Amino acid sequence: MWIVPEREVAALVTRKAAFDAVEQVFAAMAAGEARNFPVVREALGHEEALYGFKGGFDGVGGALGLKAGGYWPHNMARRRVINHQSTVFLFDPDTGRVRAMVGGNLLTALRTAAASAVSIAHLARGDARVLGMVGAGHQSVFQLRAALEQRDFDRVIGWNLHPGNLKRLEVVAREKGVPFEAVALEGMRAADVIITITSSFDAILTRDHVSPGTHIAAMGTDTKGKQELSADLVGAASVFTDEVAQSVSIGEAQHAVALGELEAGNIVELGAVINGTHPGRGAAEEITLFDGTGVGLQDLAVAGAVVARAIEAGVATEVDI
Ligand code: NAD
């Protein structure tokens, strides 16, 4: 088994490699060549931690495995380690033997940012110029960097519950030479693309905050009960997702479907747009929404690419098991 430690991952994966891996796996899912297994997510009743597994099998990419991990809310304060912790395990699909163990923390941020970037690439208007960010936590900077590469954005606007944290988004936007402005939620009407990446359990963005023609990548809702968008906003949008089963159970669509604002059968897998079996955006004034719930196959795809690079670079350790 090959071991790739967390500290090596940053040097082994580029945003482009993560984008390509995620785009390919979404396409394989929509073509029925790859599938995710049902997600397990449990409150441990210990350290207030949420722990679980996301796994799957990509018959074309040859990826079989799982990501194990979750969220320990007191890690940073009590132990100076980050709150999100995960590890990816890859198996040989021909034999079932474990093939690799890879640190999954940075990979999670990169594959999540790659997913919204893929959605922007395929669904946002070509003339999108203003990027709106809702949320300024750990994931947000990864989201911003990947999104800025998808269109010729000339302005970034941001909103966060605690406005002081927007500074980290401003720093990234400046690095890329794009001006940044903090706005009220109403200010999001100026955005052509909006990324939501918060851990909110109540709607933040409503229909009044979003202009016709906007593409929204809703990335924060990955658990039952979380919510970032009002159900009527979701109902007014053309809804795309990584996986429909997750979208209606743990994704942003869970609320709109439960309230009858959206038919589950009208949600389209983004992979179908990538494959060309669905046209994607139909009109310039349409609101498109990508409900990014985070699937195990994304983790396996980027981890597989990292293991290959790590072996090449001589930074993977082989152990007998
Ligand atoms: P974080 O704890 O670093 O940041 C949380 C963010 O949410 C902050 O901006 C905070 O101000 C905001 N927030 C919290 N409560 C809020 C509320 N009630 N109203 C408005 N804003 C609120 O978390 P993070 O690591 O940046 O992750 C953000 C979210 O993304 C989490 O919900 C996480 O589970 C989710 N996530 C999703 C995927 C995916 O694949 N879809 C992957 C990783 C993380």
Side-chain angles (χ1 to χ4, degrees):
M1 173 177 76
W2 292 100
I3 297 179
V4 183
E6 182 70 42
R7 66 172 180 278
E8 300 290 353
V9 171
L12 295 168
V13 62
T14 60
R15 277 194 295 282
K16 167 91 171 75
F19 182 103
D20 291 346
V22 168
E23 188 180 49
Q24 180 273 323
V25 88
F26 283 171
M29 282 162 54
E33 293 158 349
R35 69 191 166 97
N36 294 288
F37 305 148
V39 174
V40 172
R41 197 160 165 91
E42 295 286 324
L44 291 186
H46 175 76
E47 291 285 334
E48 293 181 65
L50 285 174
Y51 174 71
F53 314 104
K54 281 185 171 182
F57 175 48
D58 178 350
V60 172
L64 172 69
L66 61 91
K67 179 169 80 170
Y71 188 69
W72 276 256
H74 308 299
N75 270 3
M76 191 46 82
R78 293 178 184 168
R79 299 185 181 83
R80 307 304 300 162
V81 292
I82 65 171
N83 294 355
H84 286 279
Q85 289 293 330
S86 63
T87 309
V88 181
F89 296 86
L90 299 175
F91 296 83
D92 180 338
D94 297 333
T95 62
R97 281 174 59 85
V98 63
R99 203 169 78 74
M101 180 170 111
V102 187
N105 296 346
L106 178 60
L107 283 185
T108 298
L110 292 172
R111 67 77 146 145
T112 306
S116 64
V118 169
S119 84
I120 295 167
H122 289 277
L123 295 171
R125 294 187 339 265
D127 64 352
R129 293 294 173 269
V130 180
L131 173 61
M133 297 292 304
V134 174
H138 177 72
Q139 304 291 333
S140 65
V141 287
F142 295 91
Q143 292 285 325
L144 178 54
R145 282 197 188 98
L148 283 172
E149 288 164 355
Q150 307 312 318
R151 291 290 183 270
D152 288 332
F153 291 111
D154 56 21
R155 189 155 65 105
V156 178
I157 57 179
W159 178 90
N160 193 54
L161 189 59
H162 309 288
N165 294 349
L166 289 169
K167 193 76 202 161
R168 52 162 56 124
L169 294 177
E170 183 172 355
V171 168
V172 171
R174 280 231 183 108
E175 257 170 44
K176 304 283 177 194
V178 182
F180 178 89
E181 191 190 335
V183 294
L185 281 171
E186 291 69 25
M188 283 292 152
R189 280 186 215 121
D192 303 306
V193 172
I194 301 174
I195 297 175
T196 59
I197 184 73
T198 75
S199 48
S200 177
F201 279 79
D202 293 299
I204 303 167
L205 270 192
T206 66
R207 268 186 92 159
D208 293 345
H209 300 137
V210 177
S211 292
T214 304
H215 172 65
I216 307 169
M219 304 305 296
T221 298
D222 57 356
T223 302
K224 195 170 168 51
K226 283 188 185 173
Q227 185 172 12
E228 299 186 295
L229 313 181
S230 66
D232 65 336
L233 171 57
V234 175
S238 302
V239 183
F240 300 81
T241 189
D242 39 24
E243 193 190 76
V244 175
Q246 287 197 187
S247 173
V248 300
S249 55
I250 59 171
E252 195 58 50
Q254 62 183 290
H255 309 285
V257 169
L259 291 168
E261 295 273 358
L262 174 69
E263 291 271 344
N266 288 339
I267 305 174
V268 176
E269 286 195 7
L270 180 56
V273 182
I274 298 166
N275 286 338
T277 54
H278 187 282
R281 168 177 290 280
E285 63 277 10
E286 190 174 333
I287 295 174
T288 53
L289 164 63
F290 173 63
D291 183 5
T293 66
V295 293
L297 283 169
Q298 276 170 266
D299 297 298
L300 307 188
V302 287
V306 161
V307 173
R309 289 280 324 275
I311 295 171
E312 256 171 47
V315 295
T317 306
E318 194 170 20
V319 294
D320 209 12
I321 187 157

